[in-house]
Amino acid sequence: MKRIDTLDYLRGFALVGIIFINILQMVPHVRIPPEYGFWSHFEQGLLTFVYHAVYGRFYTIFSFLFGVGFYLFISRARARGDQANVLFVRRLLILLVFGFVHHQFQPGEALLMYAILGFLLLPLYRLKPGANLAAGMLFLASGCWIGPIGISLGMFVLGLWAGQSRIFEQVKRHKKRWIIAQAVSLVLIPFGLWAEREIVDATGLVDIAMVAGGLAEDVFYVTTLTILLEFPFMKLWLMPLNRLGRMALTNYIMQTVLILTMDAVLNLSGHAYYLILAMIAAEILVIQAICSTMWLNRFAMGPLEWLWRIGTYGKIPEHYRSKHN
């Protein structure tokens, strides 16, 4: 079946945001001294932007896309007559291995939790879209008590609902609804930021506050990018995001490898300003976009995606052999 290109663009977009948070968490930084004037103010403005527009936003988009991917994987496997549940369990077990190894170098990374929580999606597949929409909202709300686990599971189930509703396969048909969702989310962003501040002040639960405050931004980001991709020239200009997203697993793990390598070589921890770290993150993204483009011009999938497929199917399936699929 034909790939849904929009999902690859969104995965790439999520990776762009994630690296600016990961490098902040993985490499202890120092602030530019106030006597540097402009550069000190510029870094402070950048950090403010990251905390209010990036932190807690892009992992939730990534989680949402995991749920969409689950639905597409199961539905397409069933259409081919495969044992969909068995294949998905294998897929999660391979992801668990990747996540466990990755976790040794970046504690708190997403893959390990995704692999564990992914098993809970299997019984939800048969529910109606409306039931999954309600379940997703309930899981999100449960994040107030059980933290990131409830939030991630909620986004998984909302992604499942989006897959069932085929919203990314019928964008042009429902373009007015997309525009309405975009406009409403834009209006709600200031209220979300206010709620975020209030939750932090009242409870100190930063992760939950960031997600609660960022949901409107997440919807705005996803709807805006999806609407833009309806224009062919935007798909061309934003093609680097597509290439990053086509190799999301490889690029996500390689970001950690590159950050830790540069930290070790350049002795960044405790010495580098965040402005420098942000520049390094941007350079990594440029390198990954170029390398991903070159790789996908020759191969059908990224190297870790290839291993993931082999572990899932025991071979390369016919529908993955052509790089044009």
Side-chain angles (χ1 to χ4, degrees), residues 2-278:
K2 186 178 179 181
R3 292 183 70 92
I4 303 175
D5 282 341
T6 299
L7 299 178
D8 289 323
Y9 282 94
L10 288 170
R11 290 187 189 99
F13 178 66
L15 285 173
V16 169
I18 285 171
I19 191 172
F20 287 99
I21 298 301
N22 280 352
I23 199 168
L24 179 65
Q25 296 176 334
M26 294 170 64
V27 183
H29 69 283
V30 294
R31 295 290 186 92
I32 296 179
E35 55 264 29
Y36 279 75
F38 169 79
W39 293 111
S40 177
H41 293 302
F42 183 79
E43 183 183 66
Q44 182 56 48
L46 178 61
L47 281 167
T48 300
F49 173 80
V50 167
Y51 281 123
H52 292 299
V54 182
Y55 189 80
R57 277 61 170 169
F58 287 80
Y59 269 115
T60 51
I61 294 175
F62 218 49
S63 300
F64 173 78
L65 294 172
F66 183 87
V68 178
F70 160 75
Y71 172 78
L72 293 175
F73 181 90
I74 293 291
S75 59
R76 290 174 177 181
R78 286 174 178 265
R80 294 191 303 268
D82 294 337
Q83 293 181 304
N85 287 4
V86 173
L87 290 177
F88 188 69
V89 168
R90 290 181 188 169
R91 183 175 176 84
L92 289 177
L93 292 175
I94 299 300
L95 187 64
L96 187 69
V97 173
F98 283 138
F100 177 79
V101 174
H102 190 219
H103 184 78
Q104 308 311 304
F105 300 94
Q106 188 197 344
E109 61 85 47
L111 301 181
L112 188 61
M113 183 169 65
Y114 281 19
I116 295 171
L117 295 180
F119 288 97
L120 300 178
L121 286 173
L122 287 169
L124 299 175
Y125 177 82
R126 295 184 179 276
L127 296 182
K128 299 292 184 182
N132 277 322
L133 176 60
M137 298 304 293
L138 286 174
F139 282 126
L140 272 183
S142 74
C144 295
W145 295 277
I146 62 177
I149 291 177
I151 293 165
S152 295
L153 188 54
M155 296 308 296
F156 286 178
V157 180
L158 290 177
L160 170 57
W161 162 80
Q164 290 176 315
S165 303
R166 304 173 67 89
I167 63 174
F168 291 106
E169 298 173 67
Q170 302 174 350
V171 176
K172 189 171 295 185
R173 179 180 174 185
H174 300 296
K175 192 170 183 178
K176 288 184 178 179
R177 295 181 184 179
W178 280 94
I179 293 174
I180 291 171
Q182 179 194 36
V184 171
S185 63
L186 179 60
V187 170
L188 291 177
I189 286 175
F191 297 97
L193 295 175
W194 171 82
E196 177 181 307
R197 185 174 62 252
E198 291 296 312
I199 293 172
V200 170
D201 291 343
T203 68
L205 300 174
V206 177
D207 288 339
I208 293 171
M210 289 290 183
V211 173
L215 284 176
E217 287 179 81
D218 286 339
V219 174
F220 179 73
Y221 291 154
V222 170
T223 54
T224 299
L225 183 54
T226 301
I227 291 169
L228 286 175
L229 291 173
E230 287 300 294
F231 300 95
F233 72 93
M234 290 303 301
K235 294 188 74 170
L236 182 61
W237 288 357
L238 297 173
M239 187 57 68
L241 292 181
N242 177 278
R243 295 314 185 217
L244 284 172
R246 285 279 300 272
M247 292 174 49
L249 177 62
T250 297
N251 284 323
Y252 176 65
I253 291 180
M254 282 305 300
Q255 285 179 358
T256 297
V257 173
L258 292 171
I259 290 171
L260 292 178
T261 300
M262 296 188 75
D263 183 23
V265 172
L266 301 177
N267 192 26
L268 298 173
S269 292
H271 299 95
Y273 303 130
Y274 179 69
L275 183 58
I276 299 299
L277 297 182

